[in-house]
Amino acid sequence: MIWIQHYKSPLGGITLASDGDAITGLWFDGQKYFGSTLQEKPSFAEAEHEGVPVLEQAVQWLDLYFGGRIPDFTPPLLMKTTGFRKAVWEILLSIPYGHTMTYGEIAKRLAKRMGISSMSAQAVGGAVGHNAISLMIPCHRVLGAGGELTGYAGGLDKKRWLLMMEKENSTAVSYKYF
């Protein structure tokens, strides 16, 4: 069974999905690739987060995050994706709150991890763009070459807002595009 929970954020509605043990999806309502990890005709239940502990944790995480605080935990996540995308998403998880990386930096890190000489930043961009657990896997912290604000399935306005909020609530270095 897939549990679905709706959350009202300062940026609009968010839909969370869980298998009951882990978060399997987190999307801004209407974003590109919305519901990408759900089956075409899912067998799911609308849930109030009470009674589904991982959804309770996710709501608590979102409340902290949108309250301008750095969550000190992450609910269990289940990355239902390809091996390549999972490797990219794991790098995204290493980007600290209030910091950013470029697609090129991620490509270099992934190439080194894979023992190859280079990796396409565009391939990394495709994997980042298909992130099914937005915010918790912080794809909004990825910038283009030179620190340009590029690509975000939820929309560049949301990406800009998220980065500004994190900048205001952290001691991180300033972003190049502000």
Side-chain angles (χ1 to χ4, degrees):
M1 168 129 355
I2 299 297
W3 297 95
I4 301 294
Q5 173 72 39
H6 297 283
Y7 181 87
K8 291 182 183 179
S9 83
L11 296 174
I14 289 176
T15 298
L16 294 144
S18 171
D19 64 0
D21 296 319
I23 299 301
T24 58
L26 190 160
W27 306 272
F28 284 104
D29 292 348
Q31 82 172 45
K32 193 173 183 180
Y33 310 119
F34 179 89
S36 61
T37 60
L38 299 175
Q39 301 167 7
E40 279 191 39
K41 293 183 179 182
S43 167
F44 66 87
E46 294 280 334
E48 289 300 322
H49 60 276
E50 293 84 11
V52 183
V54 72
L55 289 174
E56 291 176 13
Q57 292 172 9
V59 167
Q60 182 183 10
W61 189 97
L62 289 167
D63 286 345
L64 289 168
Y65 181 80
F66 284 115
R69 296 182 306 279
I70 302 170
D72 60 355
F73 69 96
T74 302
L77 306 176
L78 177 60
M79 297 180 228
K80 298 167 97 176
T81 191
T82 66
F84 176 75
R85 287 181 183 169
K86 185 175 182 180
V88 171
W89 297 357
E90 286 171 348
I91 292 172
L92 299 181
L93 285 167
S94 74
I95 305 171
Y97 183 101
H99 293 266
T100 60
M101 288 182 80
T102 66
Y103 296 100
E105 289 169 332
I106 293 170
K108 286 178 187 172
R109 186 179 288 186
L110 188 57
K112 183 177 180 180
R113 185 180 292 173
M114 295 173 69
I116 58 177
S117 61
S118 66
M119 168 70 57
S120 163
Q122 288 80 12
V124 167
V128 170
H130 283 84
N131 174 15
I133 309 175
S134 295
L135 301 176
M136 290 180 183
I137 300 177
C139 54
H140 62 280
R141 296 180 188 149
V142 182
L143 302 175
E148 297 128 20
L149 188 66
T150 59
Y152 188 60
L156 289 180
D157 58 328
K158 288 179 178 70
K159 183 173 186 168
R160 182 176 290 107
W161 190 95
L162 294 166
L163 291 172
M164 286 296 295
M165 181 202 58
E166 288 187 11
K167 180 182 175 196
E168 291 170 4
N169 294 305
S170 74
T171 57
V173 295
S174 59
Y175 297 109
K176 295 177 185 177
Y177 61 89
F178 292 109

